[in-house]
Amino acid sequence: MKIVSWNINSVRLRIEQVAQFLRDQQPDVLCLQELKCPDEHFPHEAFDALGYKHRHIHGMKSYNGVAIIAKMPFTGTEIKHFCGKEDRRHCMAAFENGVEVHNFYIPAGGDEPDTTINEKFAHKLSFLQEMTQWWTERRQVAPRKAVLVGDFNIAPSENDVWSHKQLLKVVSHTPVEVEALERFRQSGDFIDAVREIYPEPEKLFSWWSYRSRDWRASNKGRRLDHVWMTPEMAGTVTRASVYDTTRDWVKPSDHAPVIAEFNI
């Protein structure tokens, strides 16, 4: 089962890039974040033409939005709202092999890592807290094979950023965010599928700012996009990679697809 997570930063603007990627990589499941597209304008025809007949779309105009697109049929789908907002940051699809795929777009958190002056940062931390409580309760119902993917907007390890010291006070790598994400990870004993293949201390990034003219030369990246799995899937990941080729394309997303393959 080949699963991809990609913050596409407008699915309609970059549908040709999505199509090229699908032709090249042929994943079983593609999870997109930041669709910036209401459901009624989603480019279904492009996915039909490529054999991706099964789609769980949860979009909105101009902002956010997530989608799970697959070759295989779903046995069930869900949507979860957090923080009393219907801002399209989660969707889930279950498959015949018993695996649930959860797709998240965690709030970015704005520029100032201070909840007293920055509502966006407060929202991010509240979102993570609710995710933790939600999964804790969900896990108590029954163990489950699940893969959690998405733009988490947090680079948790010092090896997930180009400079640990310089980014300690920058939103996405502050200790309070890292600790909140770790509490969520512990709520499910989640395993970082990508780090199973590329263990630390290897540097690994999935996002590079548009501000850098030559992003490869400067390589000031962060690993904001993740693929996690529940303990019930331990030992199943066989390959993983960040497909940074897309970052060289014309007018690309600032995020690269993250690929993980599982032997299920």
Side-chain angles (χ1 to χ4, degrees), residues 20-257:
Q20 181 177 339
F21 174 81
L22 291 176
R23 285 191 294 266
D24 291 346
Q25 292 297 310
Q26 293 292 317
D28 298 296
V29 181
L30 172 66
C31 297
L32 297 175
Q33 304 90 37
E34 213 169 345
L35 301 180
K36 296 183 176 180
C37 173
D39 293 352
E40 61 269 23
H41 295 149
F42 190 84
H44 290 284
E45 298 82 2
F47 293 100
D48 279 331
L50 290 162
Y52 290 82
K53 306 289 186 181
H54 307 281
R55 297 178 290 273
H56 181 32
I57 312 299
H58 190 43
M60 62 187 293
K61 184 179 179 180
S62 302
Y63 299 97
N64 306 346
V66 288
I68 299 174
I69 298 149
K71 293 180 177 180
M72 316 98 71
F74 306 140
T75 57
T77 59
E78 289 181 18
I79 287 168
K80 173 68 177 174
H81 297 296
F82 296 92
C83 302
K85 300 175 182 286
E86 294 190 9
D87 52 355
R88 277 65 174 174
R89 293 184 179 275
H90 169 267
C91 64
M92 184 281 285
F95 295 89
E96 292 175 347
N97 59 9
V99 175
E100 293 180 356
V101 176
H102 291 262
N103 185 11
F104 290 94
Y105 178 43
I106 293 175
D111 295 325
E112 291 292 333
D114 186 338
T115 58
T116 62
I117 62 173
N118 181 2
E119 291 182 2
K120 292 181 178 179
F121 194 68
H123 177 212
K124 183 176 193 174
L125 296 183
S126 295
F127 192 98
L128 287 160
Q129 183 178 11
E130 284 197 20
M131 281 175 64
T132 302
Q133 181 62 35
W134 167 70
W135 194 269
T136 299
E137 295 171 357
R138 188 180 184 92
R139 190 184 186 191
Q140 289 172 351
V141 175
R144 60 190 74 229
K145 289 193 293 183
V147 178
L148 282 66
V149 311
D151 178 2
F152 291 3
N153 267 310
I154 298 172
S157 164
E158 62 183 76
N159 297 303
D160 294 331
V161 292
W162 66 274
S163 173
H164 174 60
K165 288 185 177 180
Q166 293 188 60
L167 293 176
L168 273 173
K169 295 183 180 180
V170 175
V171 174
S172 76
H173 191 59
T174 66
V176 65
E177 294 168 272
V178 170
E179 290 165 8
L181 185 63
E182 175 60 15
R183 285 192 291 272
F184 175 59
R185 193 200 63 77
Q186 290 178 3
S187 73
D189 288 328
F190 298 118
I191 301 163
D192 188 329
V194 178
R195 281 297 184 192
E196 289 289 285
I197 305 300
Y198 295 98
E200 298 195 64
E202 183 168 353
K203 290 279 190 179
L204 199 62
F205 310 141
S206 65
W207 175 90
W208 296 264
S209 173
Y210 286 131
R211 295 177 183 175
S212 178
R213 290 186 178 182
D214 189 340
W215 69 275
R216 282 197 185 274
S218 61
N219 199 27
K220 291 185 176 182
R222 307 176 204 175
R223 190 170 72 109
L224 305 179
D225 307 270
H226 300 273
V227 179
W228 289 1
M229 56 187 174
T230 55
E232 290 76 17
M233 293 189 62
T236 63
V237 63
T238 57
R239 295 180 184 177
S241 62
V242 176
Y243 193 76
D244 62 7
T245 300
T246 62
R247 197 61 181 75
D248 289 322
W249 293 351
V250 177
K251 295 182 178 179
S253 170
D254 45 359
H255 295 255

